[in-house]
C-alpha cells in the first residue's frame, strides 16, 4: 500500500475524499496536481487509467485534456509572437494562403489573431470528432476552412466559443513555423518546459505507455477519435506536466525549465479582451473570472466524450490546481473547489456564503422574447452542400416552430432570448456529408439586425459532447 503524501491536514482530508470517491466507482480514474509558491505541493493518481491492462493512474499518466489544449496552443502562438513572426493584432488571413476566412457570399473580412484566440472572430460553435472505427479520415485543414471558416457575426461584435478558431490557429502555427503543429509544440513548448509526458494525440500505436483510456457512460472504452481542430482539443498531458505548464504561467518556473517568452506576453494572455458575461472574460487561450470568492482566477476546462478536465490558476497566491479524469462528469470541478477551499480559508468562506445564491440564480427563468419578433421568418442556411431554406414561426405567446425546406415543422426547445440572441434547438435534416454520420439536432443562434434575423445553425449530435 502506498504511503500517503506529506500534506497539510486540510489537503489530507481532501485526498481521502477523492480516494474514497474513486474507489467507490464514481470515476475510473483521477489525476491531481497542486502548485503553490513555485513548487509542486501535491501530485497523485487514483483508480485505474486503463482497465484492460489494469494500469493504475499516476501523476505521470497521460490524459486527453480536451479544451485545456487551447491555452497550450495559445502558448505556442505566443512563442511566434515573441520571435516577431506574427502579431496578435495582425489580420489572420495574411497567414492562411489561398484558403481564407470569409463572410457569407465569399466576402473576406479582416479578422485578427487576437479575435480568433479570444472567440470574438465571428466563427460559430463548431466541434467535429472523427472516430477511428468509422473509417472516415479527418479532412485536410484547408478543406475544413473552406467548409466552416465562415463568419456568422462581424469580427469583434460578440463572444462565441469556437473550437474551429483554434483549428485555424494550429494550421497557422504550422504554416509560419514550417513544421507540423505537433512537432512545433513538442520542440518549442513541451520540451523547454520539461513536459515529457505531453503530446498532440496519443494513440495506443504511438507506444507512449501510460495513457488513460477514454470511457463512455456505459463503462466501455470509446473508440479513438481525432478532430479538424487539433489546437482546440488534441493535447494529451499528465497532471505533472500541466503543473509544470502552470508554473511557467504563474511566472514561477523551475530551474530546469526554459522560459519561452517574457512576462509581458504572459500578462497579455491573462488580460480579458472578450466579455463572456458579467463574471467571466476571455484572453489569449485563458478564461478569467475576476472575482470568485474574493480571488481572480485564470484557467480552462475541458470536456469531450470520455474526458473532463480542469486547470485553475490563482496568480496572486501563486497557486494552481489540476484535475483530470477519463470519463465525462463534473468530478474535476468538485476537486478544484475542494482543493482551493482547503488552501484558501477566505475562498472557502466565500464559497459557503454564495451556495444558496447560486442555487437561486440557476432557477431563474430566461427573459421573454421581444414581441417584435412575432411572425414568420424565412431565409437560407448556407452549407457545404448548398443552400437550405429555413422557416421560423414565432408565436405571440413565445412558442417557436422551425422547418428545413419542406420537412415536417418542429417545435423549438429550450428557447432563450439573452444578450440580443435567440437560441434553441429543433429536429431537422440539413443533408450534408458531415451530418450524415450521426443523428443530430439543429441548434439555432440568431440575432436581430434591422429587419433581419441572422446567425447560424449548428448540427449537434443527440448525445451532446461539447468542447468547453
Amino acid at each position: 500500500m502506498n504511503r500517503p503524501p506529506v500534506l497539510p491536514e486540510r489537503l489530507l482530508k481532501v485526498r481521502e475524499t477523492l480516494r474514497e470517491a474513486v474507489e467507490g466507482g464514481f470515476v475510473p480514474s483521477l489525476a491531481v496536481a497542486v502548485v503553490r509558491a513555485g513548487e509542486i505541493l501535491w501530485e497523485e493518481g487514483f483508480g485505474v487509467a486503463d482497465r484492460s491492462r489494469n494500469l493504475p493512474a499516476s501523476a505521470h499518466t497521460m490524459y486527453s485534456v480536451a479544451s485545456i489544449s487551447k491555452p497550450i496552443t495559445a502558448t505556442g502562438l505566443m512563442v511566434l509572437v515573441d520571435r516577431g513572426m506574427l502579431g496578435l493584432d495582425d489580420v489572420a488571413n495574411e497567414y492562411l494562403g489561398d484558403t481564407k476566412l470569409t463572410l457569407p457570399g465569399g466576402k473576406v473580412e479582416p479578422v485578427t489573431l487576437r479575435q480568433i484566440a479570444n472567440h470574438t472572430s465571428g466563427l460559430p460553435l463548431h466541434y467535429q470528432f472523427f472516430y477511428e472505427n468509422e473509417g472516415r479520415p479527418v479532412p485536410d485543414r484547408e478543406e475544413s476552412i473552406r467548409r466552416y471558416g465562415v463568419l456568422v457575426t462581424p469580427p469583434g461584435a460578440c463572444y462565441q466559443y469556437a473550437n474551429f478558431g483554434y483549428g485555424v490557429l494550429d494550421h497557422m502555427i504550422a504554416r509560419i513555423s514550417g513544421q507540423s503543429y505537433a512537432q512545433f509544440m513538442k520542440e518549442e513548448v513541451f520540451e523547454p518546459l520539461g513536459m515529457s509526458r505531453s503530446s498532440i494525440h496519443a494513440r495506443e500505436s504511438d507506444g507512449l505507455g501510460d495513457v488513460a483510456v477514454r470511457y463512455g457512460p456505459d463503462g466501455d472504452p470509446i473508440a479513438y477519435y481525432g478532430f479538424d481542430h487539433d489546437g482546440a482539443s488534441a493535447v494529451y498531458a499528465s497532471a505533472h506536466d500541466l503543473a509544470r505548464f502552470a508554473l511557467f504561467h504563474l511566472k514561477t518556473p523551475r530551474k530546469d525549465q526554459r522560459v519561452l517568452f517574457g512576462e509581458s506576453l504572459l500578462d497579455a494572455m491573462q488580460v480579458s479582451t472578450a466579455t463572456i458575461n458579467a463574471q467571466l472574460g476571455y484572453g489569449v487561450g485563458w478564461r478569467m473570472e475576476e472575482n470568485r470568492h474574493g480571488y481572480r482566477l485564470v484557467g480552462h476546462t475541458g470536456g469531450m466524450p470520455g474526458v473532463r478536465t480542469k486547470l485553475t490558476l490563482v496568480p496572486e497566491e501563486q497557486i494552481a490546481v489540476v484535475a483530470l479524469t477519463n470519463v465525462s462528469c463534473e468530478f474535476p470541478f468538485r476537486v478544484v473547489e475542494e482543493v482551493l477551499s482547503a488552501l484558501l480559508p477566505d475562498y472557502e468562506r466565500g464559497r459557503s456564503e454564495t451556495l444558496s445564491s447560486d442555487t437561486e440564480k440557476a432557477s431563474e427563468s430566461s427573459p421573454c422574447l421581444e414581441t417584435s419578433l412575432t411572425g414568420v421568418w424565412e431565409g437560407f442556411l448556407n452549407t457545404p452542400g448548398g443552400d437550405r431554406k429555413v422557416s421560423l414561426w414565432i408565436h405571440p405567446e413565445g412558442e417557436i416552430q422551425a422547418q428545413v425546406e419542406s420537412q415536417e415543422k418542429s417545435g423549438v426547445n429550450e428557447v432563450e432570448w439573452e444578450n440580443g440572441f435567440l437560441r434553441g434547438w429543433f429536429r431537422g435534416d440539413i443533408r450534408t456529408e458531415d451530418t450524415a454520420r450521426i443523428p443530430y439536432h439543429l441548434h439555432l443562434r440568431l440575432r436581430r439586425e434591422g429587419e433581419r434575423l441572422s446567425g447560424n445553425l449548428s448540427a449537434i449530435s443527440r448525445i451532446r459532447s461539447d468542447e468547453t
Side-chain angles (χ1 to χ4, degrees):
M1 186 173 183
N2 293 332
R3 179 179 298 176
V6 178
L7 296 172
E9 183 179 352
R10 288 169 61 85
L11 272 184
L12 281 174
K13 291 181 179 178
V14 172
R15 178 186 182 273
E16 183 62 17
T17 299
L18 302 186
R19 185 190 64 77
E20 290 176 353
V22 176
E23 290 182 359
F26 193 69
V27 294
S29 71
L30 170 75
V32 62
V34 179
V35 166
R36 185 172 66 181
E39 300 293 338
I40 299 177
L41 176 66
W42 173 32
E43 55 180 5
E44 191 172 2
F46 304 85
V48 179
D50 182 348
R51 290 168 174 157
S52 67
R53 294 188 291 160
N54 197 29
L55 176 69
S58 78
H60 299 282
T61 301
M62 296 174 70
Y63 282 79
S64 171
V65 303
S67 283
I68 294 177
S69 301
K70 292 180 176 70
I72 295 174
T73 297
T75 300
L77 184 73
M78 296 303 268
V79 169
L80 296 176
V81 171
D82 183 60
R83 294 175 184 174
M85 300 175 74
L86 50 73
L88 287 177
D89 296 311
D90 291 350
V91 175
N93 278 336
E94 294 177 358
Y95 301 101
L96 291 177
D98 295 333
T99 307
K100 301 184 184 299
L101 302 176
T102 61
L103 281 167
K107 298 177 182 178
V108 175
E109 188 72 16
V111 184
T112 68
L113 275 67
R114 191 189 304 274
Q115 289 168 332
I116 294 175
N118 70 12
H119 301 290
T120 64
S121 65
L123 289 168
L125 173 70
H126 174 94
Y127 52 88
Q128 190 167 201
F129 306 145
F130 296 84
Y131 293 85
E132 289 190 342
N133 60 359
E134 286 184 324
R136 188 168 183 267
V138 179
D140 176 86
R141 186 72 81 252
E142 292 191 352
E143 175 60 27
S144 286
I145 292 174
R146 283 189 287 271
R147 293 184 186 184
Y148 300 112
V150 181
L151 314 185
V152 297
T153 55
C158 62
Y159 173 90
Q160 168 62 60
Y161 193 76
N163 284 314
F164 192 63
Y166 275 78
V168 173
L169 292 180
D170 77 54
H171 179 60
M172 196 178 299
I173 286 171
R175 283 181 55 85
I176 295 169
S177 70
Q179 300 174 274
S180 70
Y181 164 67
Q183 190 64 25
F184 178 86
M185 295 300 292
K186 179 177 185 290
E187 294 182 6
E188 304 296 344
V189 177
F190 300 148
E191 289 180 352
L193 294 181
M195 298 171 65
S196 61
R197 301 290 297 153
S198 298
S199 70
I200 307 302
H201 289 292
R203 297 173 180 82
E204 186 175 341
S205 59
D206 294 335
L208 295 171
D210 294 354
V211 178
V213 171
R214 294 184 282 219
Y215 289 100
D218 56 4
D220 291 337
I222 296 173
Y224 194 87
Y225 52 85
F227 323 87
D228 59 0
H229 43 79
D230 279 3
S233 317
V235 174
Y236 272 73
S238 68
H240 173 81
D241 280 13
L242 288 181
R244 295 181 71 92
F245 181 73
L247 284 165
F248 170 63
H249 281 274
L250 288 170
K251 305 176 185 176
T252 58
R254 296 171 68 151
K255 291 181 180 179
D256 61 351
Q257 292 182 294
R258 175 164 65 82
V259 173
L260 304 180
F261 44 79
E263 292 187 0
S264 63
L265 292 183
L266 287 171
D267 291 339
M269 294 182 70
Q270 297 180 26
V271 171
S272 176
T273 53
T275 299
I276 301 174
N277 57 38
Q279 292 79 37
L280 297 173
Y282 208 99
V284 181
W286 290 114
R287 185 182 291 134
M288 271 67 68
E289 189 165 7
E290 296 301 326
N291 184 359
R292 183 166 178 81
H293 311 319
Y295 295 90
R296 182 176 189 268
L297 305 186
V298 175
H300 219 291
T301 60
M304 302 187 305
V307 182
R308 204 62 168 142
T309 59
K310 189 171 178 66
L311 167 60
T312 298
L313 317 182
V314 190
E316 67 182 81
E317 300 293 333
Q318 296 185 344
I319 286 173
V321 185
V322 178
L324 312 174
T325 191
N326 53 339
V327 71
S328 182
C329 71
E330 301 303 295
F331 193 49
F333 290 67
R334 174 187 168 191
V335 172
V336 172
E337 288 294 289
E338 294 295 337
V339 170
L340 291 179
S341 295
L343 294 176
L344 301 169
D346 287 345
Y347 188 94
E348 181 183 35
R349 191 176 303 112
R351 180 184 171 202
S352 299
E353 291 172 355
T354 57
L355 278 176
S356 58
S357 174
D358 289 344
T359 301
E360 291 173 4
K361 289 178 182 178
S363 64
E364 290 177 359
S365 60
S366 299
C368 296
L369 294 177
E370 285 187 2
T371 56
S372 62
L373 293 177
T374 298
V376 181
W377 299 80
E378 294 182 335
F380 289 91
L381 172 69
N382 179 261
T383 80
D387 290 347
R388 310 286 187 254
K389 184 179 178 181
V390 178
S391 304
L392 288 179
W393 289 263
I394 302 180
H395 302 282
E397 68 276 11
E399 180 186 359
I400 301 179
Q401 293 174 295
Q403 182 183 45
V404 178
E405 299 191 309
S406 59
Q407 298 166 27
E408 185 178 351
K409 286 184 183 180
S410 174
V412 179
N413 302 277
E414 299 178 15
V415 174
E416 294 181 354
W417 175 255
E418 188 174 6
N419 297 326
F421 283 92
L422 173 65
R423 295 181 174 89
W425 65 268
F426 65 96
R427 296 179 185 274
D429 186 1
I430 59 175
R431 298 183 293 107
T432 67
E433 178 185 356
D434 289 333
T435 58
R437 298 164 52 209
I438 192 168
Y440 60 91
H441 294 144
L442 291 170
H443 290 244
L444 59 83
R445 179 178 180 269
L446 305 172
R447 70 174 184 168
R448 183 76 175 266
E449 293 182 350
E451 297 303 311
R452 302 173 64 237
L453 282 176
S454 64
N456 64 286
L457 287 179
S458 298
I460 298 179
S461 64
R462 293 181 187 172
I463 303 175
R464 186 156 180 162
S465 46
D466 303 77
E467 262 276 25
T468 57

